[in-house]
Amino acid sequence: MSVIFPPHVTANLVVMARQRTPHRSALIVEGPKDSRFFKRVVNAQRCNVMVAGNRDFVEKTVAILEQQREPGVLGVVDADCDHMAGCVISAPNLLVTPTRDIEGVLLSSNALRQLLLEFDLTEDAFGEDPESAALAAVAPLGYLRHVISENAWRVKVTQINYLAFINP
């Protein structure tokens, strides 16, 4: 379990890390899954990946660092349901994933197909297009999450029977 710090603390950690290694940039991400993903694709000798805890904390941390004019800092947040809500992010040092979350970015690549092959499944084990099959399978859950968010409902996700959304 990773420790979540308030945005001003994360901003200070970024500044201190960059004082120790000024040649490294800082990439601020939402959570541990995002960190694991980006640590595989960024050069660790040139970039520190830091977890802020959630989208709001990434946005606030980046805003603090922009205000302090700290160079070499970039934040990445999941698009979530921005396209449905008409939300547009315009902060210059904040990137929004092109899909709902980082897993969507993976599904936009051939990573799923390669993973299936790694586990000795045939290339067409889930049809000719496993990425689309996976997206179609989770679409009802994504819509449910959006409806819950839009209505500000308090839902205990541990009580949801996810098997009800799966067509055996």
Side-chain angles (χ1 to χ4, degrees):
M1 185 173 138
S2 60
V3 177
I4 306 290
F5 296 112
H8 69 281
V9 173
T10 303
N12 286 338
L13 289 170
V14 169
V15 171
M16 288 188 293
R18 297 208 62 246
Q19 286 176 349
R20 192 178 66 233
T21 54
H23 63 283
R24 287 190 186 175
S25 56
L27 179 64
I28 304 165
V29 298
E30 290 184 37
K33 285 194 301 183
D34 302 302
S35 175
R36 283 193 306 271
F37 172 80
F38 282 105
K39 282 182 178 179
R40 292 176 186 255
V41 296
V42 300
N43 182 343
Q45 301 300 316
R46 302 200 46 137
C47 182
N48 293 322
V49 179
M50 304 191 80
V51 175
N54 60 46
R55 179 184 178 143
D56 187 48
F57 281 13
V58 173
E59 291 175 358
K60 288 178 179 174
T61 300
V62 169
I64 291 167
L65 293 165
E66 284 177 352
Q67 189 176 34
Q68 295 174 354
R69 300 183 195 272
E70 183 68 28
V73 177
L74 182 67
V76 177
V77 295
D78 293 335
D80 296 328
C81 294
D82 288 358
H83 65 288
M84 295 171 118
C87 179
V88 177
I89 301 286
S90 62
N93 295 317
L94 190 63
L95 295 178
V96 180
T97 59
T99 59
R100 188 194 153 307
D101 55 26
I102 202 67
E103 290 83 1
V105 173
L106 289 172
L107 290 174
S108 298
S109 71
N110 68 349
L112 177 62
R113 190 178 308 267
Q114 296 305 315
L115 182 67
L116 293 174
L117 291 174
E118 186 174 320
F119 285 98
D120 291 332
L121 296 171
T122 62
E123 193 164 335
D124 62 348
F126 291 94
E128 290 183 24
D129 187 3
E131 297 82 6
S132 293
L135 289 171
V138 299
L141 288 172
Y143 183 69
L144 176 64
R145 186 172 179 185
H146 173 69
V147 170
I148 290 168
S149 175
E150 284 293 303
N151 291 293
W153 292 339
R154 297 179 67 80
V155 175
K156 289 187 176 184
V157 294
T158 56
Q159 295 177 343
I160 295 175
N161 177 8
Y162 290 100
L163 294 176
F165 293 92
I166 298 172
N167 180 346

